[in-house]
């Protein structure tokens, strides 16, 4: 067990996977991904069952902290939500699917809150819907749990400087757009394509080409992230640990190895947590049957060390 002044924490709910067992274009998403991580952590005695906390679902009012009233009203219609998720009559859906997003967002809220309050690292076994904007859903993301979690922190503990490190294969455009006018939030993203142009000082978008491997990826990360941490001096750090950068991912076109992904995660941890910064981690993307093992590896390393 690694040494922690305050223990890391984990959030998971069985509600996290029910709504995601869909047949749509995202069918390569393993709907049992988060449950598999939970099960393996318990099987390997990395954590005790009592250590995994089940969050309350977020409320409609929580959604309103970030999203417009009109948009939140529309989300109450399952047909509207189905369109964002590319579900239709051919790919039938569960009309309660919003519940999944409420639970995962509740988990992200709790994850950030506990990490900040106890100055530790906390994981949500899900979350990272970084494409959602104030008034629209994009890229399978109807609500931006990350932005909601950050605004909840502001509400509870006052305004603070937050660094969002988004290493999902896809651009963290929604989160950057939501905080475009707020220079207290630094949005840092490494990805394949820009989904939007972000007009803010405290934003960094690093684009990498198809088939980028461990060395080049880790070089870019190590060139820029420590400098951002030094200059910006965040009081809280969010990490979107998307695993769709892996070479076997069914969506991503990067070529990172399993070891490379873990090195990336360790580097983010060491650059932030080892400097005493509270760190809230959410899963982000990652598609294919073995994707769950990557986030699992990171959590295991945090608890057990090398
Ligand atoms: Zn992604």
């Amino acid at each position: 067990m690694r040494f922690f002044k305050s223990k890391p924490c984990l959030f998971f709910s069985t509600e996290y996977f029910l709504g995601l067992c869909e047949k749509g274009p995202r069918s390569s998403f393993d709907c049992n991904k988060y449950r598999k991580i939970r099960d393996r952590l318990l099987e390997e005695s990395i954590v005790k069952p009592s250590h995994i906390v089940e969050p309350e679902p977020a409320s409609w009012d929580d959604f309103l902290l970030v999203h417009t009233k009109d948009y939140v009203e529309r989300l109450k219609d399952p047909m509207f939500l189905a369109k964002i998720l590319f579900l239709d009559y051919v790919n039938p859906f569960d009309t309660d699917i919003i519940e999944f997003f409420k639970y995962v967002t509740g988990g992200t809220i709790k994850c950030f809150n506990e990490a900040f309050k106890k100055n530790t690292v906390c994981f949500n076994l899900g979350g990272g819907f970084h494409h959602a904007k104030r008034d629209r859903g994009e890229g399978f993301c109807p609500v931006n749990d990350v932005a909601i979690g950050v605004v909840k922190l502001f509400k509870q503990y006052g305004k603070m400087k937050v660094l969002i490190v988004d290493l999902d294969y896809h651009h963290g455009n929604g989160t950057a757009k939501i905080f475009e006018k707020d220079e207290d939030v630094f949005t840092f993203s490494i990805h394949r394509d820009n989904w939007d142009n972000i007009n803010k000082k405290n934003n960094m978008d690093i684009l990498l080409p198809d088939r980028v491997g461990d060395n080049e990826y880790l070089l870019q990360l190590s060139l820029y992230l420590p400098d951002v941490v030094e200059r910006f001096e965040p009081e809280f750090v969010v990490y979107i640990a998307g695993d769709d950068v892996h070479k076997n991912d069914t969506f991503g076109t990067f070529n990172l190895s399993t070891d490379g992904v873990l090195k990336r995660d360790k580097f983010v941890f060491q650059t932030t947590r080892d400097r005493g910064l509270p760190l809230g981690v959410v899963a982000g993307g990652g598609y294919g049957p073995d994707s769950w093992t990557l986030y699992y590896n990171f959590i295991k390393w945090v608890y057990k060390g090398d």
Side-chain angles (χ1 to χ4, degrees):
M1 179 79 183
R2 293 165 67 95
F3 172 74
F4 287 100
K5 242 197 223 159
S6 195
K7 266 197 198 165
C9 48
L10 282 170
F11 296 93
F12 171 80
S13 164
T14 49
E15 299 285 340
Y16 279 18
F17 65 95
L18 293 175
L20 267 187
C21 295
E22 62 193 57
K23 296 191 176 67
R26 202 169 57 168
S27 56
S28 66
F29 182 82
D30 174 4
C31 64
N32 288 314
K33 175 174 174 171
Y34 308 128
R35 188 177 53 75
K36 285 180 185 170
I37 297 172
R38 191 264 324 250
D39 290 352
R40 185 61 64 87
L41 288 169
L42 294 175
E43 280 160 24
E44 301 281 324
S45 301
I46 290 162
V47 298
K48 293 193 182 96
S50 61
H51 190 76
I52 301 176
V53 178
E54 189 141 348
E56 297 283 312
S59 65
W60 293 113
D61 281 347
D62 291 331
F63 289 177
L64 284 169
L65 291 173
V66 158
H67 297 289
T68 62
K69 202 166 186 304
D70 271 6
Y71 178 65
V72 172
E73 278 308 311
R74 296 177 79 190
L75 282 179
K76 293 176 183 172
D77 174 4
M79 291 301 282
F80 178 74
L81 185 57
K83 268 189 208 143
I84 298 170
L85 298 170
F86 299 95
L87 302 172
D88 52 31
Y89 298 109
V90 185
N91 301 298
F93 54 91
D94 177 351
T95 52
D96 280 344
I97 204 163
I98 194 68
E99 289 301 308
F100 161 79
F101 291 99
K102 285 186 168 181
Y103 273 95
V104 175
T105 302
T108 299
I109 291 170
K110 264 296 217 185
C111 170
F112 292 0
N113 191 295
E114 287 289 296
F116 184 77
K117 190 169 70 183
K118 297 185 175 158
N119 190 2
T120 187
V121 55
C122 294
F123 295 90
N124 190 12
L125 296 187
F129 306 119
H130 58 170
H131 297 308
K133 296 175 180 167
R134 289 194 184 277
D135 60 354
R136 56 182 292 194
E138 258 179 38
F140 304 105
C141 301
V143 288
N144 197 311
D145 62 307
V146 171
I148 293 168
V150 168
V151 173
K152 286 286 270 192
L153 269 191
F154 293 161
K155 288 233 155 241
Q156 187 151 8
Y157 301 102
K159 200 71 193 297
M160 66 181 86
K161 286 164 89 175
V162 174
L163 167 62
I164 300 174
V165 181
D166 190 334
L167 300 187
D168 186 279
Y169 169 80
H170 300 96
H171 187 195
N173 65 318
T175 324
K177 277 285 172 197
I178 287 169
F179 293 114
E180 200 166 26
K181 292 190 171 67
D182 187 347
E183 298 293 353
D184 282 338
V185 178
F186 195 117
T187 40
F188 177 98
S189 178
I190 300 182
H191 46 267
R192 173 64 181 82
D193 296 299
N194 274 349
W195 286 37
D196 277 292
N197 284 321
I198 312 299
N199 297 308
K200 71 183 299 198
K201 182 164 81 69
N202 287 333
N203 176 70
M204 189 179 282
D205 289 319
I206 299 169
L207 275 79
L208 293 177
D210 289 337
R211 292 183 293 282
V212 69
D214 295 350
N215 290 345
E216 181 60 19
Y217 188 100
L218 295 168
L219 176 68
Q220 294 295 323
L221 180 63
S222 63
L223 275 177
Y224 293 103
L225 185 63
D227 188 52
V228 167
V229 174
E230 285 295 323
R231 278 191 300 116
F232 180 65
E233 297 183 326
E235 295 161 272
F236 184 74
V237 181
V238 171
Y239 177 32
I240 301 175
D243 289 322
D244 37 8
V245 295
H246 189 265
K247 61 183 178 188
N248 294 342
D249 192 84
T250 51
F251 269 75
T253 59
F254 287 171
N255 207 18
L256 271 72
S257 69
T258 300
D259 187 46
V261 174
L262 183 58
K263 279 190 176 138
R264 173 198 72 164
D265 296 341
K266 286 178 180 179
F267 188 81
V268 174
F269 185 94
Q270 282 156 349
T271 307
T272 58
R273 186 68 207 126
D274 284 357
R275 293 175 197 215
L277 296 169
L279 180 63
V281 189
V282 296
Y287 306 91
D290 297 324
S291 174
W292 70 273
T293 59
L294 300 161
Y295 198 36
Y296 166 80
N297 288 344
F298 179 34
I299 297 170
K300 181 181 171 187
W301 173 78
V302 165
Y303 279 86
K304 292 283 181 188
D306 289 308

